[in-house]
Amino acid sequence: MFIMRNLLLLLLCVLTGAVSYAQQITGNVKDEQGKNLQGATVALKKLKDSSVVKLGITNTNGNYTFANIVTGSYFINTSHIGYAVKNSPSFEASSEGITTVPEISLMKSSGTLKDVAVTSLKPMVEVKADKTILNIEGSVNAVGQDALELLRKSPGVMVDKDDNLSLSGKNGVQVYIDGRPTPLSGADLAAYLKSMQSSSIEAIEIITNPSAKYEAAGNAGIINIRLKKNKSLGTNGSVNAGYSIGKFPKYNTGFALNHRNKKINAFGNFNYNNNRGENYMNFKRTQLDTLFDQKTIMNPKGNNQNFKVGLDYFINNKSTLGIMLNGNMGENVFGNKSTTDISYLPSGELVKILTANNSTVGERRSGNLNLNYKYSVAGGKDLNIDADRGLYRIKSNQMQPNNYYDKTGVLYSTRVYNFIAPADIDIYSLKTDYEQNFEKGRLGIGGKTAFVKTSNVFNRYDIFSGNRFYDSTRSNTFNYKENINALYINYNRAFKGLMVQFGVRMENTNLEGISDGFKWNGSKFMENESGFKRNYTDFFPSGAITFNKKPTSQWGLRYSRRIDRPAYQDLNPFEFKLDDYSFQKGNIDLRPQYTNSFAVTHTYKYTLNTTLNYSHVNDVFTQLVDTTERSKSFLTKKNLATQDVVSLNISYPFSKKWYSVFSNLNSSYSHYKADFGAGRTVDLDAFAFNIYQQHTFKLGKDYTAELSGFFNSPSIWQGTFKTSSMWGVDAGLLKTILKGQGTVKIAVSDIFKTMQWKAKSVFAGQTLDGGGGWESRLFKINLGYRFGNNQVKAARQRKTSQEEENQRVSDGGGGISR
């Protein structure tokens, strides 16, 4: 409590102390007819050298505001597609109060604009009405980290001991890559995220209030990972190389090329990383009269490559046709050395020792081909069509020797198993989105149909005297098909003093699963084919009201209903052996979980953002450690009865001269309650909070330093595990070289080596007490170099397919980024 109280006081001091320095500059932009011009880009520039201080975008009333501006001489540079660029008269920013800039009127351009170069540096973190954006591309401390590690340190995101994601106290996070949902979950999703290096990531968007335009999946919200893509005219590119070391060395490299002119935009990039690490996990499990004391060292090694290549063809001023292919390839070896001391509790005497030194060789291939068409005309009519074909190919070959020793250390029994488990996932989808102005507002309608087919084979072999023998009674094939059809309508309109957005999404779900294998009937194995079919249709309404009569103090109300469907792996009823005393299996009775969320938001002076949210979740599914055959345990997922979550999020960015800081506090209260019968109950209350801060120091002479850190309070994992607190601090330094074309980044992660977890669970007659960690403290260095034309020009600035997809995922942001 002492640490929690002081951290809260520190955050409040930063917030309250920073506000006293805030100065504001406001203004309005109109077109040549005197109408308010929405979406104009406004740049606040210093008079003495025209350097950009801040960037913003005008709102629906044509207004813009810059906060936290120091006293000085400035002017406003304003631009909008189809209009000539215009500068305001110079002015002096007042040392107190609000400085109002004279109204700026833009004139329609008479032809192709002269090339106007815009160079800007994005803030590390941007907070908008419905999401938080982490601009990884500009971060120093992010260098040398994978996507999962970046998420672990993100505001409000929790990653548990099994690499499952939760957001603001809720599980059921839907992960998107470039605006497209990935079908992976659990260990497969974690492995995929670990294969993505920060050098290939532009930004991470944490979307907590998706509109009806988004798929309804994701109870806690959506995390969209945007991969890099160059947007400059001409021919340009970049190369990078990185090295990091903790206990083992790791390295990565990559390049990107882009060519863009008035008719085409061709782009591509490739990234490679080679890594080796070490994790550890220790568990003490008490069940009846037996104590299992397990100590495990894990050594993952991997080589991963990912790429993106595409072409956009500008048919005319209205139509764009695009094609894009991205993929990921990886080969990994996972070593798992486990020793379990098995003791008799009443006497404390050691009975035997089990060692299971497993080795898994894995191979992962994934790819997605996208064809897209965009049609946009004056008057606000936009049509987007996307067709996607995706596939995932996963192979796993595990050797699992189980050696038993007596209490004196003499080997008396050996059992060796070999598990071969390939999985194929095929995805087909077609999506259409249409928007137009309607009744003084914006109307959007659209639909999507998607088909997913998976084939999962699990073959077990028993090894005797070095020979393999196929065990058909312990092998299994699981085939799963899923079809989701969706339609949505969404409408938003600005009134005097408020903005309204509402919509509804209808999703029809059809799924079928068949598991072929054998089942033990008490005396022998019998052939058993178990399957299920489900068909259901749900409606998912959403809405938001923003009260913006007073721009410096805006209130909002938001509501949404969302769903999480079980992952196909969690439905397969077959038992997967971990060792002789533990295994995991799916649950065909697992139902979807539904969430109703209500939120109140407030934005003060465009910077201090506060969100209070209440969510009620029905049929929560979570991973449980259950018991069987007296001394054995198995992992499975079941529907907890209900979960109620109340969360509070406060964020504030502050900058003064050479220093800037972003602070975020995310807290949540959760109540889990369920009764599984036979005396097995779950009734837990949990309060948890997360503090995140990012400090940036402009040191002069092209040096920039970063100091970032987070603190996670004790919380609940997977419904039954009570965890201890965890925190970490990173530091880094950036140096710009070669006349701004090159960069050198040096960073150290987890300086104090505090990123280690502890957790305890009491359920179904057993107690688990565990802890673990990984190679979290790393020294990292990265070199980058850009070549060619690196200016984004105003001439013919039409959005390409990827930019349009990212924009659609980012819609609904509202307000000016800081």
Side-chain angles (χ1 to χ4, degrees), residues 387-654:
D388 285 272
R389 166 70 169 101
L391 59 85
Y392 293 79
R393 299 292 183 261
I394 302 170
K395 296 180 180 179
S396 175
N397 186 340
Q398 181 186 90
M399 291 294 296
Q400 188 187 99
N402 293 269
N403 296 316
Y404 289 88
Y405 300 84
D406 63 21
K407 60 183 180 181
T408 65
V410 176
L411 178 67
Y412 69 86
S413 177
T414 297
R415 303 171 188 172
V416 183
Y417 310 105
N418 179 209
F419 305 109
I420 298 178
D424 295 342
I425 306 174
D426 292 277
I427 307 167
Y428 303 85
S429 68
L430 178 65
K431 181 178 68 169
T432 302
D433 299 290
Y434 175 77
E435 289 187 357
Q436 72 168 47
N437 297 330
F438 179 76
E439 293 294 327
K440 299 182 181 180
R442 189 75 171 165
L443 175 68
I445 59 174
K448 180 178 180 179
T449 183
F451 296 86
V452 179
K453 180 181 178 181
T454 72
S455 176
N456 306 270
V457 177
F458 180 80
N459 290 329
R460 169 175 157 168
Y461 297 86
D462 296 323
I463 309 297
F464 297 105
S465 302
N467 298 314
R468 291 196 319 167
F469 298 90
Y470 179 63
D471 186 349
S472 61
T473 63
R474 295 292 188 178
S475 300
N476 168 261
T477 299
F478 181 62
N479 294 310
Y480 177 80
K481 297 179 181 179
E482 180 182 86
N483 166 230
I484 299 177
N485 306 295
L487 295 172
Y488 76 86
I489 182 170
N490 197 63
Y491 181 74
N492 62 75
R493 178 177 174 179
F495 296 89
K496 187 175 181 180
L498 63 88
M499 179 177 291
V500 177
Q501 177 268 318
F502 59 88
V504 63
R505 186 180 185 92
M506 182 275 292
E507 291 192 350
N508 167 253
T509 303
N510 308 279
L511 54 89
E512 178 182 3
I514 299 176
S515 177
D516 295 323
F518 287 80
K519 184 177 182 180
W520 179 256
N521 69 354
S523 59
K524 63 179 180 178
F525 286 100
M526 301 289 293
E527 287 190 14
N528 177 58
E529 179 179 297
S530 58
F532 56 89
K533 287 186 179 181
R534 292 177 190 162
N535 303 278
Y536 51 91
T537 300
D538 290 301
F539 291 86
F540 302 94
S542 63
I545 302 175
T546 302
F547 302 92
N548 55 10
K549 185 175 182 179
K550 189 177 180 181
T552 57
S553 181
Q554 299 187 32
W555 290 89
L557 299 174
R558 306 188 185 280
Y559 166 76
S560 65
R561 181 175 189 259
R562 302 188 64 75
I563 186 176
D564 260 322
R565 301 174 181 89
Y568 68 87
Q569 304 99 318
D570 298 330
L571 295 170
N572 185 0
F574 192 72
E575 299 175 358
F576 179 81
K577 179 183 288 289
L578 301 176
D579 59 40
D580 276 354
Y581 284 89
S582 58
F583 58 92
Q584 64 185 31
K585 66 179 181 179
N587 178 9
I588 63 173
D589 295 322
L590 202 60
R591 303 181 300 275
Q593 62 181 26
Y594 295 88
T595 298
N596 287 278
S597 293
F598 306 84
V600 178
T601 66
H602 182 251
T603 301
Y604 179 70
K605 293 186 176 180
Y606 303 94
T607 52
L608 179 60
N609 292 276
T610 305
T611 301
L612 178 64
N613 182 276
Y614 166 73
S615 298
H616 178 76
V617 189
N618 288 320
D619 289 332
V620 179
F621 47 77
T622 188
Q623 182 168 283
L624 299 177
V625 183
D626 213 335
T627 59
T628 184
E629 299 179 28
R630 289 183 56 85
S631 62
K632 295 184 179 181
S633 68
F634 67 88
L635 302 176
T636 190
K637 285 193 175 181
K638 295 183 178 180
N639 293 97
L640 290 177
T642 59
Q643 180 188 10
D644 292 283
V645 182
V646 179
S647 63
L648 175 68
N649 186 277
I650 303 173
S651 64
Y652 186 81
F654 167 74

Side-chain angles (χ1 to χ4, degrees), residues 70-120:
V70 298
T71 303
S73 300
Y74 301 94
F75 69 96
I76 299 293
N77 174 270
T78 310
S79 61
H80 194 289
I81 297 176
Y83 293 84
V85 178
K86 187 173 183 179
N87 293 329
S88 74
S90 61
F91 58 88
E92 295 288 327
S94 173
S95 60
E96 58 186 63
I98 299 176
T99 301
T100 302
V101 180
E103 180 183 286
I104 300 174
S105 296
L106 298 185
M107 304 294 290
K108 288 278 188 179
S109 58
S110 56
T112 302
L113 296 177
K114 299 285 187 181
D115 289 347
V116 179
V118 180
T119 304
S120 64

